[in-house]
Amino acid sequence: MTSTFQATMTSNMANAIRALAMDAVQKANSGHPGAPMGMAEIAVALWGNHYKHNPQNPGWINRDRFVLSNGHGSMLLYALLHLSGYDLSIDEIRNFRQLHSKTPGHPEVHITPGVETTTGPLGQGITNAVGMALAEKLLAAEFNVGGANIVDHRTYVFMGDGCLMEGISHEACSLAGTWKLNKLTAFWDDNGISIDGHVEGWFTDDTPKRFEAYGWNVIRAVDGHDVAVVNAAIVAAKASDKPTLICCRTIIGKGSPNMQGTHNVHGAALGDKEVAAVRANIHWPYPPFEVPADVYSAWDAKNTGAQFESEWNAQFAAYAAQHPDKAAELKRRMSSTLPDNFDATVKAAIATCVEKKETIATRKASQNAIQALAPALPEFLGGSADLTGSNLTNWKESIAMRADHPGNHVNYGVREFGMSAIMNGIALHGGYLPFGATFLTFSDYSRNAIRMAALMKIRTLFVFTHDSIGLGEDGPTHQSVEHVSSLRLIPNLDNWRPCDTTESTVAWAESIKRADGPSTLIFSRQNLPFQERSAQQIADIARGGYVLQDAADAKVVLIATGSEIELAVKSAATLAQQGIPARVVSMPSTDVFDRQDAAYKQSVLGKGLPRVAIEAGVTDFWYKYVGLEGAVVGIDSFGESAPAPVLFNYFGFTVDNVVAKVKACLA
């Protein structure tokens, strides 16, 4: 094969990406053609020479991971998947950004085969990739024994200026350097353009120095339109003992004679005239959505992908013969299947709670649950954003993870957002069940990563402690008021706010068993009393809400969560003394309760009875349960600095106030 032919074919491979991207955006009259057109040669260098994958089995365990962090350039990824042989037809390319197509506006995992994570909110893709690379490193340390590199793959990321401007990229990339994630390679599309125009007015960081300061290997001034030069940079990156940033200087919208290098090509269709001009300029004579057979053949990765996987399968078979237990464990964990003894472990943990009847903070009850469940869950990968001693996410046998030795507890530092998105990457990679913690009020920092976990339907566990004004003297900056209710607004997110040791253990178990989405586990700083329950009541905790205490001929229903259950129980006792029998409903997870059938919900909440909800947070959320004729004991202002008992009394979380609310409803 002559060098001239190779150069021509390489050019045609890149131009196929350009053509598909501009044609799909033009047909949809919506999208971002600039990044795909500008990064086409980088994609040829990586996917054509280095990227280890199997289009016929996108879930192959030892595949490389590719993340398009600048997800607005989604047509770059869709073009690559289509051209290399994934189950993504040309009709799906034509249906870009249309209802129910496999080519949504931004890449979405579980929608498009070959997409590893949902990207769009800038900075989170690179952060997910850090999580993927961390998972690979830890799995390799755990399972690569006897000279068998059964876990051995790389993580590649494309990202633009926007990802680097987002603060989360600082959090994640700093950690990647500290952790020495040498199998992580990021390509910076340094085109100097963002939506508002040339970035020198708002982005003048010395990005290479920044990454060198993080401890990255930095390859500077790479011509992003020279496949051979990019290829050499990738070779150098693979030889480094550090994560690598390849700085690729590119022209956004490369190939567009009148718009390339400007922000006009960033986020809008080129227009019919310019599309025609691009075709002439890049010598692409084919009509829209047509790619010649020889270009398809050059891109086709099905045979090489099948060979990659076949070779690995043979290696894994030999590994399984030598290490059957480890092989079975790796397969179990990568399939997200829980161990056979999990249910028995949960049952024993609940029995311990019932036996001990401890009055402790639910954050401590959470740690006890972790301690009880961890022996059955080697996939546990805990952590905290610099609050381990307060969040209590470690356990006796946990090992702090460091760059030079593996562990199962991660010190993320003061990086709540980065921690949350890294955990999403770990969950997407597979092999570990990540959970990480901070104070509930700092869930605001993590919120978009929590939303992305819910959108992606992945099992990430977000632990939040110090859940209300009950944390006391730290004051309103740290006292959560609106946070629990606001988290409940996120679709597909299960939120648990347990009231004691038993509910805390069940909350952990149900969050772990959930396979189709993330959960939050929300715990108190202050001690909460143990509540007595029957076996049936314990079973009903998993339904999100249940009758904790009933009364014959109840005249009112008190609904509460978390620390306010104690108040509801005491208020019911006082009401009973005054001739007003009251039912107490514990609702540790409104999200789970709402999924129950109508008959069960009515059996818990009753029919025709007035209801009063009690929670140390904003009141609006609870009217969906109590109705306009009911009442809510809550707090619709920010807190104050004072000891917790003083605050609860000051804000009306007293038996007298609950009784008064009940009587007003009955009047």
Side-chain angles (χ1 to χ4, degrees), residues 246-271:
I246 302 177
C247 306
C248 300
R249 189 64 185 173
T250 65
I251 299 171
I252 191 171
K254 173 75 170 175
S256 173
N258 301 302
M259 298 173 69
Q260 68 179 23
T262 73
H263 70 280
N264 297 320
V265 75
H266 180 280
L270 301 181

Side-chain angles (χ1 to χ4, degrees), residues 497-528:
R497 187 172 183 246
C499 75
D500 69 353
T501 57
T502 305
E503 283 192 358
S504 296
T505 301
V506 173
W508 266 104
E510 292 303 306
S511 299
I512 290 166
K513 288 192 287 186
R514 188 182 184 211
D516 61 351
S519 302
T520 71
L521 295 144
I522 301 169
F523 300 114
S524 73
R525 178 197 184 194
Q526 72 273 30
N527 289 344
L528 304 181

Side-chain angles (χ1 to χ4, degrees), residues 290-611:
E290 181 177 312
V291 177
D294 61 340
V295 176
Y296 270 126
S297 180
W299 269 115
D300 192 351
K302 293 193 293 293
N303 290 336
T304 55
Q307 183 177 349
F308 281 140
E309 184 171 358
S310 177
E311 292 172 353
W312 183 84
N313 285 339
Q315 182 185 8
F316 187 78
Y319 174 85
Q322 292 291 318
H323 310 283
D325 292 344
K326 280 191 172 291
E329 177 67 5
L330 179 61
K331 289 177 69 175
R332 178 189 73 79
R333 284 164 56 174
M334 291 302 291
S335 67
S336 298
T337 302
L338 291 175
D340 293 338
N341 65 338
F342 179 72
D343 287 339
T345 303
V346 172
K347 185 177 180 180
I350 292 172
T352 298
C353 294
V354 174
E355 178 185 355
K356 289 187 173 182
K357 306 182 190 304
E358 291 179 296
T359 292
I360 55 176
T362 52
R363 61 172 174 158
K364 180 59 180 176
S366 166
Q367 187 179 44
N368 290 348
I370 295 169
Q371 183 67 55
L373 299 177
L377 294 169
E379 58 263 51
F380 252 5
L381 185 60
S384 174
D386 203 49
L387 290 167
T388 301
S390 294
N391 300 147
L392 305 181
T393 50
N394 57 344
W395 60 104
K396 290 179 182 177
E397 298 80 16
S398 63
I399 300 170
M401 192 277 295
R402 295 292 184 265
D404 56 352
H405 65 83
N408 51 13
H409 190 272
V410 182
N411 299 102
Y412 289 97
V414 188
R415 300 180 179 95
E416 297 88 356
F417 192 8
M419 173 184 70
S420 300
I422 287 170
M423 289 196 301
N424 286 346
I426 294 168
L428 287 160
H429 180 279
Y432 290 101
L433 199 172
F435 61 91
T438 185
F439 289 170
L440 178 59
T441 192
F442 303 141
S443 65
D444 287 336
Y445 287 141
S446 300
R447 189 176 183 86
N448 201 261
I450 298 170
R451 180 179 185 271
M452 293 304 292
L455 179 63
M456 292 189 282
K457 301 180 180 179
I458 56 176
R459 188 176 56 172
T460 310
L461 307 186
F462 303 97
V463 179
F464 298 118
T465 67
H466 297 60
D467 66 344
S468 71
I469 58 172
L471 71 86
E473 292 87 345
D474 274 341
T477 61
H478 283 50
Q479 292 167 2
S480 297
V481 174
E482 76 279 18
H483 297 83
V484 177
S485 286
S486 67
L487 288 168
R488 290 172 179 147
L489 297 176
I490 299 176
N492 199 46
L493 176 67
D494 282 357
N495 301 278
W496 291 87
R497 187 172 183 246
C499 75
D500 69 353
T501 57
T502 305
E503 283 192 358
S504 296
T505 301
V506 173
W508 266 104
E510 292 303 306
S511 299
I512 290 166
K513 288 192 287 186
R514 188 182 184 211
D516 61 351
S519 302
T520 71
L521 295 144
I522 301 169
F523 300 114
S524 73
R525 178 197 184 194
Q526 72 273 30
N527 289 344
L528 304 181
F530 176 81
Q531 301 293 335
E532 295 285 354
R533 299 173 184 81
S534 67
Q536 184 58 55
Q537 286 173 312
I538 292 173
D540 286 342
I541 295 171
R543 304 187 76 166
Y546 63 101
V547 178
L548 177 64
Q549 281 188 12
D550 212 350
D553 302 317
K555 294 182 179 180
V556 66
V557 178
L558 303 179
I559 311 168
T561 75
S563 53
E564 287 68 69
I565 284 292
E566 179 183 11
L567 175 58
V569 169
K570 289 180 177 178
S571 298
T574 298
L575 287 166
Q577 293 170 359
Q578 298 181 18
I580 305 173
R583 169 182 291 183
V584 176
V585 170
S586 178
M587 201 176 288
S589 178
T590 62
D591 311 279
V592 175
F593 181 76
D594 286 349
R595 292 199 295 270
Q596 305 305 309
D597 60 70
Y600 178 77
K601 287 188 282 190
Q602 183 172 306
S603 74
V604 173
L605 296 178
K607 186 176 182 180
L609 294 175
R611 302 167 186 167

Side-chain angles (χ1 to χ4, degrees), residues 186-227:
F187 299 79
W188 171 29
D189 181 28
D190 180 16
N191 60 36
I193 296 291
S194 65
I195 291 176
D196 279 357
H198 292 272
V199 300
E200 62 262 22
W202 49 88
F203 184 51
T204 58
D205 300 10
D206 189 330
T207 296
K209 285 185 178 179
R210 168 185 155 192
F211 275 76
E212 287 171 348
Y214 291 152
W216 285 53
N217 171 43
V218 177
I219 302 175
R220 299 167 177 251
V222 172
D223 182 351
H225 300 300
D226 189 322
V227 172

Side-chain angles (χ1 to χ4, degrees), residues 27-38:
K27 185 175 184 296
N29 195 30
S30 175
H32 299 75
M37 296 173 73

